[in-house]
Amino acid sequence: MAPTRRGARRTTAAATTAEAAAEVEHEPAATTPAEGGGGGRGGRRAVARSIKKPAADTADAAEPVKAGRKKTAKRTADEDDEGEEEDREAAAEDEAKAKRPKKSPASPAAPTRRGRRGKAAAVSEPDVPDSPDELPEEPAASAKPASATVTAAATTVGVDDDSDFVEPASKPTNKTMPEKYSLADPANGAAAGEAGAVVKICSWNVAGVQAALKKGLVDYVRAENPDVLCLQETKTAGEPKEGLLKDLYPHQFWTSPPTGEKKGRYYGGVAVLSKVRPISWTGGIGVPEDDEGRAVVAEFESLHLIHTYVPNASTKLVRLPEKQRYNSAMEALMKRLDATGKPVVWCGDLNVAHDAIDLNNPKGNVRNAGFTVEERGDFSRILSGGATSTPGPAAVASAVGAAAPFVDVWRQLHPRVRDYSYFGYRQNCRERYAGWRLDYFVASRRLVEQVRGCVMRTDAYGAADHVPLVLALARVRL
């Protein structure tokens, strides 16, 4: 007996429901920021990567994938490093959306993209920025000059409390490098007799030397004129063929990509450019990640210099074990070199925000790469010489006080200043001055009395998504 018209509609609806159910079986659950996906663009990519194709015998039952959708290849470990920016910015996007004012229960629900035609979609509303501009200004009387000598007193910043801080003296929002530079000397507090003995070391993640060269890298370096220049994420297969600033830095050490790495897919690499030839220098710290070209260790007359681009824990923290192994090796190396009698200076993009005031959105990143308890705890353990693995400088001060063998120099000079060295390109991070402090100078405790300044060149932005960090040391010979 032929079905009635109503029965036919029911049959068709049931078939459609079955087809939809078959397709849903192949769709993974959405990734949440707490899992490391961060939502937003990074989260959608993670979902796209994990969608499984239906079996051939059920292809007719499942609804076809939308035409034109491109397949997304799984990220390599190096590509995860480049994905760091998207992960952090996606988390910032989710946090900004979460801070929107909640509507009362009586208010009608906001329409979605599938709502009635002619009504604005809720997802098109602008984000409410969690702007630092709303925070209290720094009292002039409490401001410390950048040239002040480091004291032995430990910082009092809370481990998880980001309320006790002051704003930086300036918050530039430029997106391109300045045409002219008027750089304050970080060592302007040095005694007159020390003027000829002050050494400047500059650390900078350039996010690709070739790209940065087109955006003002050389102009900045010539204006800064450091004695030693440390570059991270060079993305080059050794020294560039055309050379780089050979007239200023005749002695250069460039790491190379892993053997067989395809051109255009190398996201690592570091380089040390020096006016003075070091006694020795080597690539790596003795871990498998050395094959990614992440470290250079140089010995000078007065100090050991360790320059690293520390691995990123990556999306969903898949590389957290490798990063913790790297941190353990770094701890052992720091102790061994410090025991030789020469102090140690460790610099670079360390891919960690040690405390809540070291990033704009701590609550939204508690389980994202760069702000996990494990990474922050590793940094505390390095600073304290193994005395504590509790995150934050307050924990280090509580465990060992002024006896901590190593010092986070910038934080020691600016114990309550909330400033950043990295600003992502998305989510208007630069305009909002919403970033992370990922770049560091760590020095042996006995070297701190020779520190004459440590400054972030926050106006030198645009050649890369990081800004340079400069350390000035007195009575040091290279």
Side-chain angles (χ1 to χ4, degrees):
M1 178 177 177
T4 63
R5 181 172 300 177
R6 179 179 297 177
R9 286 198 297 269
R10 290 178 178 174
T11 303
T12 301
T16 303
T17 303
E19 291 174 359
E23 182 178 9
V24 169
E25 289 179 356
H26 301 290
E27 292 292 335
T31 304
T32 64
E35 293 170 330
R41 180 179 175 187
R44 291 193 294 273
R45 289 185 174 177
V47 171
R49 285 197 298 272
S50 58
I51 293 177
K52 300 179 181 178
K53 292 184 179 179
D57 58 348
T58 61
D60 294 335
E63 194 171 314
V65 179
K66 185 177 179 181
R69 179 181 295 177
K70 296 182 179 180
K71 296 180 180 179
T72 306
K74 183 180 179 181
R75 284 182 183 168
T76 62
D78 287 331
E79 288 169 333
D80 282 330
D81 279 339
E82 189 176 65
E84 165 196 345
E85 174 188 332
E86 290 186 357
D87 295 337
R88 289 178 179 138
E89 291 160 4
E93 178 182 2
D94 289 339
E95 177 70 7
K97 289 181 179 179
K99 290 187 177 182
R100 294 176 183 170
K102 294 183 179 179
K103 296 185 178 181
S104 62
S107 301
T112 63
R113 290 188 186 277
R114 296 181 181 180
R116 295 181 179 179
R117 295 179 181 178
K119 292 188 177 182
V123 292
S124 64
E125 297 174 3
D127 291 337
V128 178
D130 46 350
S131 173
D133 292 333
E134 301 174 1
L135 302 174
E137 293 292 332
E138 177 179 0
S142 65
K144 291 186 178 182
S147 58
T149 302
V150 180
T151 63
T155 176
T156 59
V157 177
V159 176
D160 292 315
D161 182 13
D162 64 338
S163 62
D164 182 22
F165 70 92
V166 293
E167 294 189 25
S170 64
K171 297 186 293 184
T173 58
N174 58 299
K175 288 188 174 181
T176 58
M177 298 290 279
E179 294 183 0
K180 295 182 179 180
Y181 290 93
S182 178
L183 302 174
D185 183 2
N188 58 9
E194 297 177 333
V198 172
V199 169
K200 280 203 304 184
I201 305 174
C202 176
S203 174
W204 191 11
N205 182 324
V206 294
V209 165
Q210 297 299 336
L213 283 172
K214 301 174 184 178
K215 301 176 184 179
L217 181 153
V218 171
D219 290 340
Y220 164 75
V221 173
R222 291 192 180 281
E224 186 72 71
N225 193 28
D227 298 284
V228 180
L229 175 64
C230 299
L231 304 177
Q232 303 99 50
E233 203 176 347
T234 59
K235 300 184 182 180
T236 60
E239 183 177 349
K241 293 181 179 179
E242 64 274 18
L244 179 65
L245 297 164
K246 283 286 191 178
D247 57 326
L248 277 180
Y249 306 104
H251 310 289
Q252 303 187 7
F253 190 109
W254 296 74
T255 61
S256 298
T259 303
E261 187 73 35
K262 294 182 179 180
K263 184 178 181 181
R265 296 190 61 183
Y266 181 47
Y267 300 105
V270 297
V272 174
L273 286 65
S274 176
K275 294 181 178 180
V276 178
R277 178 185 291 277
I279 296 172
S280 65
W281 46 15
T282 57
I285 63 171
V287 292
E289 287 74 22
D290 288 343
D291 191 45
E292 299 171 15
R294 292 186 173 274
V296 173
V297 181
E299 180 183 1
F300 290 93
E301 183 175 335
S302 298
L303 56 84
H304 293 282
L305 176 66
I306 307 174
H307 170 220
T308 62
Y309 176 36
V310 174
N312 176 253
S314 190
T315 304
K316 294 188 178 181
L317 307 179
V318 295
R319 295 199 77 192
L320 182 57
E322 289 92 331
K323 182 171 185 179
Q324 290 200 275
R325 177 177 62 198
Y326 196 94
N327 289 337
S328 294
M330 180 59 62
E331 179 186 6
L333 178 63
M334 297 273 285
K335 290 179 178 178
R336 179 170 61 83
L337 293 180
D338 191 58
T340 64
K342 287 185 181 180
V344 176
V345 172
W346 174 28
C347 70
D349 177 357
L350 307 191
N351 261 320
V352 64
H354 192 209
D355 202 25
I357 68 169
D358 291 327
L359 70 164
N360 179 70
N361 177 20
K363 294 181 180 178
N365 287 282
V366 290
R367 287 308 293 167
N368 282 341
F371 197 60
T372 64
V373 172
E374 294 88 344
E375 295 168 276
R376 297 164 60 205
D378 284 352
F379 194 62
S380 289
R381 194 181 67 249
I382 293 172
L383 294 180
S384 67
T388 182
S389 292
T390 302
V396 176
S398 177
V400 289
F406 301 106
V407 175
D408 172 0
V409 179
W410 191 90
R411 177 55 68 205
Q412 190 80 358
L413 283 171
H414 313 87
R416 295 177 57 231
V417 178
R418 188 174 196 167
D419 211 351
Y420 313 117
S421 63
Y422 164 83
F423 301 88
Y425 290 132
R426 297 173 63 237
Q427 295 301 312
N428 298 321
C429 289
R430 182 63 173 175
E431 293 94 327
R432 295 164 50 217
Y433 211 77
W436 293 59
R437 187 173 76 97
L438 300 175
D439 304 87
Y440 294 76
F441 274 101
V442 175
S444 296
R445 168 69 62 178
R446 63 183 181 279
L447 192 62
V448 297
E449 64 177 14
Q450 295 168 243
V451 171
R452 292 297 176 266
C454 188
V455 296
M456 281 189 283
R457 300 300 194 189
T458 51
D459 59 337
Y461 181 85
D465 47 9
H466 290 247
V467 299
L469 184 65
V470 181
L471 173 70
L473 294 170
R475 306 191 307 277
V476 168
R477 294 181 62 87
L478 295 180

